Amino acid sequence: MAGDGAAELVTYEREGEVALVGLNRPEKRNAIGDRLLAALEAALRRAASEAKAGVLFGHGGHFSAGLDLAEHAGRSLFEGIRNSREWHRVFGLVEFGEIPWVAALHGAVVGGGLELAAAAQIRVADATAFFALPEGQRGIFVGGGGSVRIARLCGTARMADMMLAGRVASAEEAERWNLVQYLVPAGAARAKALELAARAAGNAGISNWAVIQALPRIRDIGRDEGLLLESLMASVASASPEAGARLRDFLEKRAARLGPPAGG
Ligand code: 1HE
């Protein structure tokens, strides 16, 4: 299904219960400017209203080269702050939205592109993916939530290395560093992300909602408060009609059994 919105800067498709949202400015390596950000927001909102999970990917040879530097060069200080806050707001729809998101990464996952990927709940990289934060080389700083999200994924020291020494991480390194959860052969990231998103879409909505809303917040509060919030969230989920039906399915042997992972 073709997407609505700003000249297809972002494409929107549905595959069953999964929305596929594609950054579509390959001639500029999917650099994120104001219009692309607005189109992304529209696609994210549409997905939240009609899908149960989503995949974020990039058309062309790269996921995203990050902030549109041409557009940014003309911004005043105040415009820069407001723009960064817009990124926070829109990427917040990925991190704290209604549905889980899986980012499918290939080619450049750079600057704001990595910040966007970091907002997803799961990241899949193919062998061509490389990860960089060249903000220091451009005389700027992360502004799309990276200092909060990327540092939590791979650690402040690794993020500082990327920003200070210009270290570029390969897909293998990114997996070792916990920047991504899956590493797949070249060209396979989107299909793998779709498979994962479809699996997440099959979970109870309340459970997915709890993972999205509670897990990262529990990560950021004290242990005691975290345990209390966990108990509250657990009892809310268990009290849902969906939990009742799913527990009965298991107990009456209608639910699929778990087993060791395929391929060991
Ligand atoms: C761009 C951008 C961009 C490419 N803004 N126009 N991001 C960066 O510092 C990364 C800058 N980009 C690159 O290092 C490279 O473009 C890539 C490694 C991603 C791809 O290389 P390549 O050889 O395939 O493409 P290219 O020839 O460099 O670029 C193709 C075109 O895209 C070219 O425009 P053209 O009109 O000359 O064809 C480039 O100018 C354009 N292009 N990247 C604008 N980023 C909220 S704060 C976030 C802060 C950041 O994201 S900082 C990191 C910015």
Side-chain angles (χ1 to χ4, degrees):
M1 177 165 46
D4 306 329
E8 294 284 287
L9 282 170
V10 171
T11 61
Y12 183 95
E13 301 158 77
R14 272 275 299 287
E15 184 116 358
E17 295 182 317
V18 178
L20 290 126
V21 171
L23 308 179
N24 190 28
R25 201 188 172 204
E27 71 286 0
K28 296 288 182 186
R29 308 309 184 250
N30 294 328
I32 303 172
D34 290 348
R35 286 177 58 243
L36 191 146
L37 194 70
L40 176 62
E41 176 176 8
L44 293 173
R45 289 192 184 283
R46 181 170 173 188
S49 74
E50 61 184 36
K52 291 195 173 162
V55 169
L56 280 169
F57 70 98
H59 291 277
H62 303 276
F63 177 70
S64 173
L67 177 68
D68 184 326
L69 296 169
E71 212 172 273
H72 191 69
R75 282 196 182 105
S76 70
L77 189 151
F78 188 34
E79 284 166 350
I81 294 171
R82 294 179 70 184
N83 185 251
S84 167
R85 296 300 289 162
E86 272 296 286
W87 282 52
H88 291 166
R89 192 179 62 72
V90 175
F91 290 8
L93 298 173
V94 177
E95 186 178 20
F96 290 120
E98 296 295 317
I99 59 171
W101 287 93
V102 184
L105 308 173
H106 75 297
V109 186
V110 168
L114 178 52
E115 295 184 288
L116 172 58
Q121 282 74 33
I122 303 175
R123 280 153 295 281
V124 179
D126 86 2
T128 71
F130 59 95
F131 300 78
L133 292 170
E135 279 81 353
Q137 294 159 54
R138 312 281 174 250
I140 57 178
F141 189 62
V142 284
S147 59
V148 170
R149 297 192 183 102
I150 298 169
R152 276 169 174 69
L153 286 175
C154 68
T156 304
R158 287 197 170 114
M159 184 172 176
D161 189 15
M162 293 170 82
M163 295 195 71
L164 293 173
R167 183 159 178 182
V168 178
S170 66
E172 291 82 4
E173 284 170 322
E175 194 206 17
R176 271 208 309 279
W177 294 2
N178 193 43
L179 270 178
V180 304
Q181 285 74 54
Y182 292 85
L183 181 54
V184 297
R190 199 181 114 141
K192 181 68 181 178
L194 179 57
E195 175 199 323
L196 299 172
R199 230 181 286 152
N203 294 338
I206 181 81
S207 303
N208 283 350
W209 188 85
V211 170
I212 296 165
Q213 300 298 328
L215 264 191
R217 292 186 165 104
I218 290 173
R219 156 76 177 75
D220 285 343
I221 59 181
R223 290 172 54 90
D224 284 349
E225 295 84 351
L227 292 172
L228 177 61
L229 183 53
E230 178 186 276
S231 295
L232 296 174
M233 201 64 248
S235 53
V236 167
S238 298
S240 68
E242 212 176 339
R246 283 169 181 257
L247 292 172
R248 266 195 311 283
D249 281 348
F250 177 80
L251 295 171
E252 292 163 14
K253 310 219 179 289
R254 286 188 299 272
R257 257 41 192 175
L258 302 179

